[in-house]
Amino acid sequence: MNPSSRSAFLTVIISAAAFAVAVLGLLIGAKPMTLAEALAALASPNRGTDGIIVWTLRMPRSIAAFLAGGALAVSGFLLQSITRNPLAAPDLTGVSSGAVAAIVSTFVFLPTISSFYYPAIGMAGGLAGASMTIWVARGGRASTLHTALGGITVALFLNAISSYVLLRGGPQSPSVLFWLSGGFQGRSWPQIMYMLPWIISGLAVALASHRVIGVLALGDEVAAGMGVNLSAWKPLLLLAAIGLVAGVTPVAGPVAFIGLAAPHLVRLLRPKDSVWSLMLNIAIGGGLLLTADVLARSVAAPREIPVSIFTALIGGPIFIYLAQRRETSMSRGALA
């Protein structure tokens, strides 16, 4: 099997697995359904209570989770490609925390502003958070681990700002706290339409830039030698990565570790090129977050567990492994 066929086969298999999880999600909830009942409700949206549950609650929720997971995975892939840092991810570079801090501050201090503008506000906050991390990392010239620690420090600082704003927020804070826990409870078709333009725009930029992304993997000096305008392409890809997070965050809240874990799982599969890397990131990231969402609403049913708990269980060990491996390789280099 040639590399293209192999990459296509893996994408189809992983997407099919994600679809199977989505079907399972239709069966699980406060009102359990059999597969036959769920399929009948899918075929007849007006089929009483089952039709309402499937079409209004469970199916759009699963679609939102898959889209959000795919967007976060691609965002992490872009950030890692731009910085050539395997520890880069939206939640570890200040991007997610910056978006959250900006949205929370707007919600509390400027409540008259429509939520329609929250993605743009989140994008501005994410860009500010990423800029702070780049500054801490000496313009990207610091070591990989130093950059990761700088990003975590910036994220903690921005999270502290969000917490302070919430303390000042008064009675409206509980609704924000629910959103900050991360998850897709109550999400329906309007939320999908809300984040879809941002996700489509970010993915379009990433796919259109696939050749540049592939060249960036060879290093900045090689890319510049091949005629890539780094001062133009890197900011564009950074904006695409932040835009994907900005579109997802107002709907899903802060979701950790998908943007870190998915790109590394994709690399283990050795896709043919950056186009298939992007497709596999969408499939794996969407499948991971979809699985986490199904677990979040089934493990302690009828109560829900924040989805970030399950994504952290996936991504946390990967981060620890990568950090230790990087530290070990640095130590060996020093000894050599």
Side-chain angles (χ1 to χ4, degrees):
M1 187 180 293
N2 62 56
S4 293
S5 299
R6 179 178 174 276
S7 298
F9 175 75
L10 289 171
T11 302
V12 170
I13 291 296
I14 295 169
S15 299
F19 179 77
V21 174
V23 172
L24 179 63
L26 297 179
L27 313 180
I28 297 173
K31 183 184 183 301
M33 292 186 190
T34 65
L35 181 59
E37 290 172 337
L39 292 176
L42 280 173
S44 303
N46 298 321
R47 184 186 173 89
T49 304
D50 287 353
I52 294 173
I53 291 174
V54 168
W55 280 91
T56 306
L57 298 175
R58 294 181 185 174
M59 186 165 67
R61 174 174 180 161
S62 293
I63 293 173
F66 182 85
L67 290 175
L72 293 172
V74 171
S75 177
F77 173 69
L78 291 177
L79 290 171
Q80 291 174 17
S81 299
I82 294 167
T83 62
R84 301 189 72 237
N85 182 347
L87 300 179
D91 44 311
L92 298 176
T93 52
V95 173
S96 294
S97 299
V100 168
I103 293 171
V104 168
S105 299
T106 302
F107 180 85
V108 171
F109 296 125
L110 299 170
T112 57
I113 292 181
S114 169
S115 60
F116 175 82
Y117 299 103
Y118 282 4
I121 293 168
M123 188 166 185
L127 185 59
S131 300
M132 291 173 65
T133 300
I134 291 171
W135 176 74
V136 171
R138 302 168 192 166
R141 295 185 298 274
S143 69
T144 298
L145 195 56
H146 182 94
T147 303
L149 292 174
I152 293 171
T153 302
V154 169
L156 290 173
F157 171 72
L158 293 171
N159 288 337
I161 291 177
S162 298
S163 299
Y164 173 75
V165 170
L166 287 175
L167 290 174
R168 294 284 304 273
Q172 72 266 42
S173 292
S175 61
V176 184
L177 287 171
F178 180 79
W179 169 73
L180 283 173
S181 65
F184 299 90
Q185 185 176 11
R187 305 302 188 262
S188 191
W189 299 110
Q191 284 75 36
I192 293 176
M193 300 307 297
Y194 185 83
M195 63 181 180
L196 205 54
W198 293 83
I199 293 176
I200 291 174
S201 299
L203 293 180
V205 171
L207 287 170
S209 310
H210 69 93
R211 294 185 186 279
V212 174
I213 295 171
V215 174
L216 286 175
L218 302 175
D220 287 357
E221 293 182 359
V222 175
M226 295 178 69
V228 175
N229 187 347
L230 297 178
S231 61
W233 281 106
K234 280 196 170 186
L236 177 63
L237 293 174
L238 177 62
L239 287 175
I242 295 173
L244 289 166
V245 177
V248 169
T249 301
V251 173
V255 177
F257 288 117
I258 293 294
L260 173 70
H264 286 286
L265 294 176
V266 169
R267 288 189 188 94
L268 292 176
L269 300 177
R270 298 182 179 179
K272 179 180 180 294
D273 53 31
S274 55
V275 172
W276 287 112
S277 292
L278 288 166
M279 301 305 294
L280 282 168
N281 268 290
I282 294 170
I284 290 179
L288 286 176
L289 191 51
L290 184 56
T291 302
D293 180 59
V294 171
L295 290 172
R297 57 192 170 99
S298 61
V299 169
R303 294 180 300 169
E304 289 209 18
I305 299 173
V307 73
S308 285
I309 290 178
F310 294 98
T311 59
L313 290 175
I314 297 169
I318 292 177
F319 174 77
I320 293 171
Y321 166 74
L322 291 171
Q324 287 186 335
R325 188 179 70 173
R326 178 65 55 175
E327 189 175 54
T328 300
S329 63
M330 289 171 62
S331 298
R332 287 175 179 172
L335 289 173

